[in-house]
Amino acid sequence: MKTFVVLSCLVALAWCAPAPADSGVRELPALRHEEVHDEFGQYALRYITAENTVVSERGRLVPSSNGGYVLEIEGRYQFVGDDGKMYVTAYKGGPGGFHVDGQHLPQPVPVPPVAL
């Protein structure tokens, strides 16, 4: 469980890190942004950018093996690559680990040694 929490934090940190000025990363504001939270930490979010990148994610509490609850995340994002193709990635993280799927990803998706 600790590995999952650490991995989730690292992914969030990488997403939030500012991109270098010469990286070629485009920064466009969200055209549509929806976000809902409850008092238990559960949430749902969705946003769409001007380039038609769509991100959606939800976190919900599920029973854990020790009788408590753990936050399970599930989401997907899609974008049009520089080659004009649509790329869709779905992911899920919870008590069973972190799983990612996308037709553009190698199968099975390799797990970095730091996550093991």
Coordinates of all heavy atoms in Angstrom, one line a residue, residues 6-17:
V6 N 3.3 6.2 -2.6 CA 4.5 6.8 -3.0 C 4.4 7.0 -4.6 O 4.7 8.1 -5.1 CB 5.7 6.1 -2.6 CG1 7.0 6.6 -3.3 CG2 5.9 6.1 -1.1
L7 N 4.1 5.9 -5.3 CA 4.0 6.0 -6.7 C 3.0 7.0 -7.2 O 3.2 7.8 -8.1 CB 3.6 4.6 -7.3 CG 3.6 4.5 -8.8 CD1 5.0 4.9 -9.4 CD2 3.2 3.1 -9.2
S8 N 1.8 7.1 -6.5 CA 0.8 8.1 -6.9 C 1.3 9.5 -6.7 O 1.1 10.4 -7.5 CB -0.5 7.9 -6.1 OG -1.0 6.6 -6.4
C9 N 2.0 9.7 -5.6 CA 2.6 11.0 -5.3 C 3.6 11.4 -6.3 O 3.7 12.6 -6.8 CB 3.2 11.1 -3.9 SG 1.9 11.0 -2.6
L10 N 4.4 10.5 -6.7 CA 5.5 10.8 -7.7 C 4.8 11.1 -9.1 O 5.3 12.0 -9.8 CB 6.4 9.6 -7.9 CG 7.4 9.4 -6.7 CD1 8.2 8.1 -6.9 CD2 8.3 10.5 -6.5
V11 N 3.8 10.4 -9.5 CA 3.1 10.7 -10.7 C 2.4 12.1 -10.6 O 2.6 12.9 -11.6 CB 2.0 9.6 -11.0 CG1 1.1 10.1 -12.1 CG2 2.6 8.3 -11.3
A12 N 1.8 12.4 -9.5 CA 1.2 13.7 -9.4 C 2.3 14.8 -9.4 O 2.1 15.9 -10.0 CB 0.4 13.8 -8.1
L13 N 3.4 14.6 -8.8 CA 4.5 15.6 -8.8 C 5.0 15.8 -10.2 O 5.3 16.9 -10.6 CB 5.6 15.1 -7.8 CG 6.8 16.0 -7.7 CD1 6.3 17.3 -7.0 CD2 7.8 15.4 -6.8
A14 N 5.2 14.7 -10.9 CA 5.7 14.8 -12.3 C 4.7 15.6 -13.2 O 5.1 16.4 -14.0 CB 6.0 13.4 -12.9
W15 N 3.4 15.4 -13.0 CA 2.4 16.1 -13.8 C 2.4 17.6 -13.5 O 2.2 18.4 -14.3 CB 1.1 15.5 -13.5 CG 0.5 14.6 -14.5 CD1 1.1 14.3 -15.7 CD2 -0.6 13.8 -14.4 NE1 0.3 13.4 -16.4 CE2 -0.7 13.1 -15.6 CE3 -1.6 13.7 -13.5 CZ2 -1.8 12.2 -15.8 CZ3 -2.6 12.8 -13.7 CH2 -2.7 12.0 -14.9
C16 N 2.7 17.9 -12.2 CA 2.6 19.3 -11.8 C 4.0 20.1 -12.0 O 4.0 21.3 -11.9 CB 2.3 19.4 -10.3 SG 0.6 18.7 -10.0
A17 N 5.0 19.4 -12.2 CA 6.3 20.0 -12.4 C 6.3 21.0 -13.6 O 5.8 20.6 -14.7 CB 7.4 19.0 -12.6

